[in-house]
Amino acid sequence: MPNEVHIINHPLVQHKLTLMRRATTSTAKFRSLLREISMLLAYEITRDLPLKLETIETPMATMQAPVLAPEKKLVVVSIMRAGQGILDGILELIPSARVGHIGLYRDPQTLNVIEYYFKVPDDLEERDVLIVDPMIATGNTAIAAVHQLKQAAPHSIRFLCLLAAPEGVERFHSEHPDVPLYTAAVDEKLDSHGYILPGLGDAGDRLFGTK
Ligand code: URA
C-alpha cells in the first residue's frame, strides 16, 4: 500500500515518549526509555512476521507449534548514530535479527546528507528490512537511507522512527511512496535549523550525553 504512515499510539508508547521529550530527563533515563519504547514499537510492527509450524514436545504431548520462519530473518538497519538506541531495544525482542548500519549525517549548514558508512548483510533479496532512526526531520536522511537500501533490492523495506515532522513525512512519501513509515507521533513543524518542534531535541546527543 503506498503512502502509509502508521502512528503507533499505544498508551505506553505515548507515555514514554512524553517522558523522553521532557528537557529534565537524564541521559541514563532517556536511553532506557528509548530501549523500552523501541521494544513496544517493534512489537507493534512485527505483527505480520511469517510463522511456520514446528513439531515440539511439551511435558504433556507432541504438538505443532508456531515459530518465526527462520529462512527470512528480519534485517534491522540502524542509521548511525541515534538509530543504535532503537536497534538495541529491537534486538532484545528479536535477538536473531540480522543487522546493518548506515552512517549518514546532516551537514549543519546545508542540511544535505553525507554518507560515511554502509554495511548490510549480503543476501537482502530474500529479506525484509526495517530501517530505524529516532527522528524524521527534513526527511533527507531517511530518504537517502532508503535510496541506498533499494540498491540491494530487499524483499521489503519499512521505516521506523519515534518522532517525525510533517515536512519530513511529506518529502519521504513523495520520494518513496512504496515504503511504509511507522512513528509514535508526527509533531507540529521544523524550526529554521531543521529541528522538530516541539520534538525532544537532538536524539543522538540526548542518547549519548554529548551535549
Ligand atoms: N534530529 C534530531 O535528533 N532531532 C531533531 O529535532 C531533528 C533531527
Side-chain angles (χ1 to χ4, degrees):
M1 256 188 295
N3 281 356
E4 287 175 80
V5 55
H6 301 269
I7 312 283
I8 300 174
N9 53 12
H10 190 290
L12 289 175
V13 169
Q14 295 302 318
H15 178 79
K16 287 175 193 297
L17 175 58
T18 299
L19 299 181
M20 293 180 76
R21 288 179 187 275
R22 283 191 180 138
T24 50
T25 298
S26 68
T27 295
K29 190 69 192 157
F30 188 91
R31 195 177 290 150
S32 66
L33 284 165
L34 183 57
R35 206 182 107 268
E36 290 166 18
I37 212 170
S38 302
M39 286 194 255
L40 296 168
L41 295 172
Y43 178 79
E44 286 287 328
I45 67 174
T46 49
R47 286 178 180 281
D48 59 351
L49 279 187
L51 291 170
K52 64 164 198 162
L53 291 178
E54 201 173 271
T55 308
I56 63 158
E57 304 288 336
T58 78
M60 308 299 289
T62 301
M63 75 172 284
Q64 293 281 299
V67 289
L68 289 173
E71 63 277 4
K72 272 189 66 183
K73 289 212 167 78
L74 181 72
V75 177
V76 185
V77 176
S78 160
I79 300 181
M80 286 151 45
R81 67 187 165 140
Q84 196 64 35
I86 298 192
L87 174 65
D88 289 346
I90 293 181
L91 288 180
E92 289 220 11
L93 208 62
I94 317 170
S96 62
R98 302 299 191 238
V99 174
H101 286 94
I102 302 186
L104 297 167
Y105 70 90
R106 291 195 305 175
D107 181 294
Q109 257 75 52
T110 63
L111 302 186
N112 287 337
V113 178
I114 320 282
E115 181 184 310
Y116 64 92
Y117 190 79
F118 186 84
K119 183 79 183 171
V120 296
D122 283 341
D123 50 352
L124 284 195
E125 292 90 350
E126 294 295 305
R127 295 182 187 276
D128 296 308
V129 168
L130 177 64
I131 308 176
V132 298
D133 191 358
M135 313 296 266
I136 289 194
T138 60
N140 290 344
T141 307
I143 289 166
V146 173
H147 179 75
Q148 293 296 8
L149 257 303
K150 279 185 174 174
Q151 315 300 311
H155 179 254
S156 72
I157 304 181
R158 285 181 290 179
F159 199 103
L160 171 64
C161 65
L162 187 58
L163 260 189
E167 298 91 328
V169 171
E170 200 178 314
R171 287 206 56 226
F172 183 83
H173 277 328
S174 68
E175 294 286 330
H176 298 296
D178 52 330
V179 177
L181 182 60
Y182 297 79
T183 182
V186 178
D187 271 8
E188 211 179 301
K189 59 178 181 181
L190 291 178
D191 75 2
S192 58
H193 303 287
Y195 279 86
I196 299 175
L197 290 174
L200 50 72
D202 187 300
D205 282 341
R206 295 203 64 190
L207 179 61
F208 296 112
T210 39
K211 212 165 212 170

